[in-house]
């Protein structure tokens, strides 16, 4: 296995891109990353996307974006793993370079969601749940999030307002991110008075659907400095699965797929949670950040919310999370989210996070969660 590094980063602003098609969004991120890496061509392209067939009527995105980018002829494939599609595509690109099957590989995450009514997007998103035993009964991602949050509050004695600092922190960090969808700070009052979505989940517990694309370029570490003076090493990449339906799990409040994915990444990297300088959680709902922190070993069971309450998740806290706004404030273009997480961790390790820079960041981790935990991809990156 070869050592692998990220040599180029690209992203589009997250938002409502009425004027851009899905292929244009993907191309814009790919083009930016190739320019950042000073790479004229790539040998393979992997595109993370969850909803294109349902929302844009377009599949076959690998060949589509490769052709549009002037890369006709290369290997190009779409990868789908619900909300974890972006990091799943990254995992394949990483394996290609690590295994010596390609030297320069692009991984793009792209999604376009804002052209459709909320109920259409909700129905498309629900395809990432268990169709027979959740979807057919009318359950949605929002509904699962509400059930998990309610159960968490019941078992561990929290109130809804105790989750506020997850959203407050995300919005505070998004203020300095020019690519974030919502760049306004919120207060505890805003959180507590927010419109209910599915009790106890409110507007400020839930990440917004959006359009966007992000990209990284990968290369063997031994030639990475031929392209950039700031390569970021992929220290570990790991995937694990759990039941797609939350009710089939031994414990709905224990993300076993997230725990296994994190443990595999730690083992591959020879690290533990105490070594990690920042973590990008998959904060589709505030409760998911708490569950991810617990599954990854940053907090004991039932104590993930306490980390937020005690201010330990801020940029100067014990474990900074959502450092550029997270899904909650940067926005959640579903199939692209995993790539945005990786781009943002890499920015931190390259010292390019501006006012959001985590001091002396050397090791960063991102956890991209598909569905309510059915597929989980954990990646650890290292500053070289």
């Amino acid at each position: 296995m070869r050592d692998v590094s990220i040599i180029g980063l690209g992203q589009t602003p997250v938002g409502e891109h009425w004027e851009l098609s899905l292929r244009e969004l993907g191309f814009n991120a790919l083009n930016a990353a190739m320019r950042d890496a000073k790479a004229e061509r790539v040998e393979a392209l992997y595109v993370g996307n969850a909803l294109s067939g349902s929302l844009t009527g377009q599949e076959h995105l690998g060949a589509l974006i490769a052709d549009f980018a002037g890369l006709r002829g290369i290997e190009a494939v779409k990868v789908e793993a619900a909300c974890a599609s972006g990091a799943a595509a990254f995992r394949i690109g990483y394996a290609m370079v690590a295994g010596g099957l390609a030297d320069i590989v692009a991984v793009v995450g792209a999604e376009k969601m804002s052209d459709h009514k909320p109920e259409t997007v909700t129905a498309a998103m629900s395809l990432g749940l268990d169709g027979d035993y959740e979807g057919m009964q009318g359950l949605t991602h929002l509904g699962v999030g509400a059930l998990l949050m309610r159960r968490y509050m019941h078992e561990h004695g929290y109130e809804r307002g105790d989750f506020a600092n997850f959203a407050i922190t995300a919005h505070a960090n998004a203020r300095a991110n020019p690519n974030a969808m919502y760049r306004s700070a919120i207060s505890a009052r805003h959180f507590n008075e927010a419109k209910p979505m599915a009790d106890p989940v409110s507007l400020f517990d839930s990440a917004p659907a959006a359009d966007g694309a992000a990209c990284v370029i990968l290369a063997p570490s031994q030639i990475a400095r031929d392209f950039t003076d700031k390569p970021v090493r992929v220290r570990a990449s790991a995937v694990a699965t759990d039941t797609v339906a939350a009710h089939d799990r031994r414990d709905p409040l224990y993300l076993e797929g997230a725990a296994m994915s994190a443990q595999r990444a730690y083992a591959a990297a020879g690290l533990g949670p105490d070594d990690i300088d920042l973590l990008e959680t998959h904060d589709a709902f505030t409760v998911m950040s708490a569950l991810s922190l617990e599954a990854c070993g940053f907090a004991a069971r039932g104590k993930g919310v306490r980390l937020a309450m005690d201010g330990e998740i801020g940029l100067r806290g014990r474990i900074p999370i959502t450092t550029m706004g997270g899904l909650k404030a940067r926005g959640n273009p579903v199939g692209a989210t995993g790539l945005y997480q990786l781009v943002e961790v890499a920015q931190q390790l390259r010292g390019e996070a501006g006012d959001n820079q985590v001091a002396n960041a050397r090791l960063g981790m991102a956890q991209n969660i598909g569905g309510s935990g059915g597929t989980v991809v954990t990646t650890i990156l290292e500053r070289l």
Side-chain angles (χ1 to χ4, degrees):
M1 293 281 285
R2 299 191 296 183
D3 210 41
V4 179
S5 289
I6 294 172
I7 60 170
L9 307 175
Q11 59 183 313
T12 70
V14 178
E16 297 179 351
H17 292 288
W18 305 101
E19 75 288 359
L20 295 175
S21 68
L22 183 58
R23 79 180 80 191
E24 289 172 315
L25 285 167
F27 165 74
N28 288 347
L30 171 61
N31 187 47
M34 290 180 67
R35 283 190 283 106
D36 185 52
K38 302 177 181 65
E40 296 182 0
R41 191 166 178 83
V42 299
E43 297 163 53
L45 167 68
Y46 298 97
V47 180
N49 174 273
L51 305 171
S52 68
S54 300
L55 294 184
T56 67
Q58 178 69 63
E59 293 286 12
H60 213 175
L61 291 186
L64 188 80
I65 293 175
D67 178 39
F68 193 71
L71 299 171
R72 188 182 305 173
I74 68 168
E75 176 175 336
V77 178
K78 170 184 168 177
V79 180
E80 186 276 319
C83 321
S85 297
F90 176 86
R91 164 77 172 172
I92 294 172
Y94 163 77
M96 286 287 291
V97 177
L101 297 178
D103 285 333
I104 311 298
V105 170
V107 186
V108 173
E111 202 75 79
K112 188 161 177 62
M113 305 171 72
S114 62
D115 290 356
H116 302 276
K117 295 179 180 179
E119 57 267 29
T120 303
V121 174
T122 296
M125 289 280 292
S126 296
L127 297 176
L129 302 177
D130 187 317
D132 291 332
Y133 297 103
E134 293 180 312
M136 285 290 288
Q137 314 309 316
L139 196 57
T140 65
H141 278 279
L142 177 60
V144 174
L147 289 169
L148 293 176
M149 188 174 179
R150 175 63 69 192
R151 187 67 193 175
Y152 192 99
M153 292 163 60
H154 170 75
E155 288 197 14
H156 300 302
Y158 293 105
E159 297 179 356
R160 200 187 73 80
D162 295 332
F163 291 80
N165 212 35
F166 286 118
I168 292 170
T169 299
H171 278 266
N173 293 343
R175 294 183 68 185
N177 179 5
N179 293 300
M181 186 174 185
Y182 293 117
R183 299 178 62 194
S184 298
I186 65 168
S187 66
R189 179 179 64 82
H190 291 121
F191 182 87
N192 291 325
E193 295 177 358
K195 174 185 175 182
M197 304 288 286
D199 188 47
V201 172
S202 79
L203 186 67
F204 284 131
D205 288 293
S206 180
D211 306 333
C215 179
V216 300
I217 309 295
L218 299 171
S221 295
Q222 65 187 38
I223 64 170
R225 291 192 184 276
D226 293 344
F227 297 88
T228 177
D229 58 359
K230 294 182 179 180
V232 174
R233 179 188 180 196
V234 183
R235 188 72 181 264
S237 170
V239 184
T241 56
D242 198 354
T243 66
V244 173
H247 65 258
D248 281 337
R249 294 173 194 160
R250 285 185 283 264
D251 180 350
L253 293 185
Y254 182 60
L255 297 182
E256 192 166 352
M260 287 190 292
S261 177
Q263 288 301 322
R264 290 170 186 173
Y266 291 145
L271 301 168
D274 289 343
D275 298 305
I276 302 301
D277 297 310
L278 63 127
L279 170 69
E280 291 302 322
T281 60
H282 191 95
D283 59 324
F285 304 102
T286 52
V287 69
M288 294 303 288
S289 277
L291 295 177
S292 184
L293 285 164
E294 294 170 18
C296 292
F298 295 100
R301 294 289 303 279
K303 300 296 184 183
V305 170
R306 176 55 61 183
L307 274 180
M309 294 172 69
D310 292 345
E312 297 287 1
I313 61 170
L315 295 174
R316 294 170 180 79
R318 180 163 70 86
I319 179 64
I321 70 170
T322 59
T323 63
M324 301 299 282
L327 283 66
K328 174 64 200 73
R330 178 234 301 126
N332 182 24
V334 176
T337 286
L339 265 299
Y340 276 101
Q341 290 178 313
L342 293 169
V343 166
E344 290 161 359
V345 172
Q347 286 179 310
Q348 289 282 357
L349 302 182
R350 285 171 29 158
E352 297 174 353
D355 291 344
N356 289 357
Q357 185 65 50
V358 173
N360 304 312
R362 187 178 71 87
L363 289 160
M365 188 161 108
Q367 188 164 83
N368 193 197
I369 298 177
S372 62
T375 301
V376 185
V377 187
T378 302
T379 310
I380 299 175
L381 302 181
E382 180 181 25
R383 183 184 75 226
L384 288 180

